[in-house]
Amino acid sequence: MNKLKSSWLTLAAIPLVLLSCNDNDDSPMENGMPSTITVENILDSRPLVESGTFKNNGASPVIMPGESISFQFSAAKGQALSFATMYGWSNDLFFAPENPGIKLYQDNGTPVEGDVSAQIKLWDNGTRINQTPGATLMHPGTAETTAKNITEVAGTDAQGHTYAPASSLMKVSLHYDGNSTFTVTIANTSGNTTNPTPFSPGVWAISYIAGGNLLNPEPLYKKGMPSVNGLTKIAEAGDPTDLGNYIKGQTGIFTPLSPILVVVYNGIDNPIYKNGENDRGQGLKELAQKGDASILAGYLKNVPGVKQVYVLAAAGSTVLLPKIGGQAGGKVSQQLNVSPGDKIAVATMYGFSNDWFFATKGSGVDATQKGDISASIALYDNGTALNQFPGAGITQFNLAGTPLTESKPIQEVPNPNAFTTLPSISNIIKVTLQ
């Protein structure tokens, strides 16, 4: 956990500025009624951004020599594709790329295309005693007396059986479809080798990356460690059900919240944005694309009717991390000075997006009320950057990208949307007044 938090210091080294400004010099305790606003990232995060299973869509789910399958996914720079499928005519061998998976972008950000078969290896699951590979194999054979660790099969296995190189049995190719989307094709090329074999249905996964580090760089197996989480059923029987269910449970949403913009105002409409209007060029774009609230906060400070403006950053990392491995998410609080008629509005970036932001709905909420006001928060698309899969976009600023410009009205993000299904907003961000 400490390593993960350290990685976020790198990500957070973007211009997220803490700003507190008041139209008067009175402290919040001296006039009006004291109130404290607290904002929390309560998202129960997951380490995998995407995952799934694959199979032959023909009469049989097995991929026979001469056949191929394809599937599509999104990815950002630094992310990698991992998959596992059984060497069908074996006791417990499987194909998979070396962890963390197939490299998808060159170091300069150019998408990788073409034949990447050299990255595929053959592995021994370590749960069955190997026999001569082939169609007459008495599968699944004899179990190992004591399960062994996963090891690479490089030419020969522990019993001395020989195998052609994995890259001659399986051809894996990438095609970049644009906008951070790839298609991978896995072809069975084993037919003309000394080791013809079918491939079983399989599983695939892509980890989130944060601060340059993958959250789960070994999503399907660990070299030199025992097989876990249902991989054995793939390696021995070609059944991806258990491992597929496991990685499905590890797949979902992971996002920080940028420093929180808090505005107290009276006699005016919500000064941050208006649904259905284009971005006003006052700094909301910088908040929505980069998590930088300082420009908008500086503008709002001089707007008539605005009484208090704050940008609240978490100690240490500035961003509010989600819940990770049972550890609570980030949390910030600020004491306010409010009077009857005052309203409050907040805004913060959905950190792993192109230009999504959470904000108070409509004209704002009564600043004098107490309790949980999370129901007043919605997720909006700022309409200034082309959207990509959240957490897997090459042009997302917090994934070292440059947003691609578009110009559309601000609209609430549908759920499910074109990319993913989000938890309810109240399960991501919690806002309370005390």
Side-chain angles (χ1 to χ4, degrees):
M1 186 58 60
N2 290 335
K3 180 180 179 182
L4 179 59
K5 283 207 165 186
S6 296
S7 74
W8 271 100
L9 296 179
T10 303
L11 179 65
I14 55 179
L16 304 176
V17 180
L18 176 63
L19 173 67
S20 174
C21 48
N22 247 312
D23 282 351
N24 55 63
D25 294 329
D26 297 324
S27 72
M29 292 295 292
E30 290 176 350
N31 293 311
M33 299 175 290
S35 179
T36 299
I37 187 170
T38 300
V39 182
E40 302 172 69
N41 189 336
I42 60 170
L43 174 66
D44 188 8
S45 68
R46 296 292 183 268
L48 301 181
V49 62
E50 289 185 272
S51 67
T53 59
F54 60 84
K55 64 178 182 178
N56 192 337
N57 291 322
S60 168
V62 173
I63 307 159
M64 297 299 294
E67 296 181 329
S68 65
I69 61 94
S70 297
F71 58 88
Q72 196 175 59
F73 60 91
S74 294
K77 182 181 176 181
Q79 292 177 324
L81 171 66
S82 185
F83 68 83
T85 177
M86 181 188 182
Y87 181 118
W89 288 343
S90 73
N91 295 92
D92 66 340
L93 305 185
F94 66 94
F95 294 96
E98 180 85 66
N99 285 320
I102 297 172
K103 185 175 181 178
L104 301 169
Y105 292 91
Q106 298 176 21
D107 293 342
N108 64 3
T110 302
V112 173
E113 293 195 271
D115 190 342
V116 293
S117 307
Q119 298 183 55
I120 308 305
K121 295 187 176 183
L122 184 62
W123 304 90
D124 187 337
N125 194 58
T127 51
R128 294 283 170 178
I129 297 174
N130 294 322
Q131 297 169 281
T132 303
T136 59
L137 184 66
M138 295 300 293
H139 180 77
T142 306
E144 294 280 3
T145 304
T146 301
K148 298 178 181 179
N149 295 334
I150 294 171
T151 56
E152 182 183 353
V153 178
T156 60
D157 61 22
Q159 285 72 39
H161 305 116
T162 60
Y163 300 85
S167 59
S168 69
L169 304 177
M170 171 183 289
K171 180 180 180 181
V172 181
S173 58
L174 290 173
H175 180 266
Y176 186 65
D177 305 320
N179 204 30
S180 295
T181 303
F182 292 83
T183 295
V184 63
T185 299
I186 301 173
N188 189 331
T189 56
S190 68
N192 294 323
T193 72
T194 56
N195 298 110
T197 181
F199 304 156
S200 74
V203 299
W204 62 273
I206 296 174
S207 170
Y208 278 101
I209 189 169
N213 294 321
L214 294 168
L215 299 189
N216 188 348
E218 301 172 315
L220 304 179
Y221 74 97
K222 292 184 179 182
K223 179 180 179 180
M225 299 293 289
S227 179
V228 293
N229 302 324
L231 177 61
T232 293
K233 278 197 173 181
I234 289 183
E236 292 186 0
D239 181 357
T241 304
D242 286 359
L243 186 55
N245 287 336
Y246 170 77
I247 61 171
K248 183 177 180 180
Q250 295 294 302
T251 305
I253 304 302
F254 181 99
T255 188
L257 303 178
S258 69
I260 314 297
L261 177 67
V262 179
V263 186
V264 179
Y265 53 99
N266 196 311
I268 59 173
D269 203 357
N270 188 331
I272 297 175
Y273 79 103
K274 186 172 183 179
N275 193 19
E277 286 188 354
N278 281 40
D279 183 273
R280 299 168 180 169
Q282 298 165 351
L284 180 59
K285 179 180 77 171
E286 287 73 18
L287 182 151
Q289 291 188 10
K290 302 179 181 180
D292 180 5
S294 63
I295 297 173
L296 182 55
Y299 170 83
L300 293 174
K301 177 182 177 181
N302 298 309
V303 171
V306 172
K307 300 174 66 176
Q308 299 166 61
V309 179
Y310 298 93
V311 179
L312 311 180
S317 65
T318 72
V319 297
L320 274 65
L321 292 173
K323 296 179 181 178
I324 306 170
Q327 185 169 330
K331 177 179 179 179
V332 289
S333 296
Q334 175 64 47
Q335 192 172 29
L336 307 172
N337 180 32
V338 299
S339 301
D342 286 352
K343 291 186 175 181
I344 291 178
V346 303
T348 179
M349 180 189 183
Y350 183 112
F352 277 177
S353 72
N354 296 81
D355 66 338
W356 291 357
F357 67 98
F358 295 98
T360 310
K361 300 175 187 177
S363 61
V365 298
D366 180 357
T368 63
Q369 67 176 290
K370 303 296 181 183
D372 189 336
I373 61 169
S374 304
S376 69
I377 306 297
L379 180 62
Y380 296 92
D381 184 342
N382 191 51
T384 55
L386 186 67
N387 289 321
Q388 296 171 329
F389 197 107
I394 188 63
T395 66
Q396 289 167 9
F397 181 83
N398 285 328
L399 293 175
T402 301
L404 299 175
T405 301
E406 68 174 2
S407 181
K408 294 181 179 180
I410 295 170
Q411 297 290 345
E412 191 167 347
V413 175
N415 192 25
N417 52 70
F419 304 100
T420 189
T421 299
L422 300 167
S424 65
I425 302 306
S426 60
N427 285 331
I428 302 175
I429 181 172
K430 182 177 182 180
V431 184
T432 54
L433 291 173
Q434 296 175 322

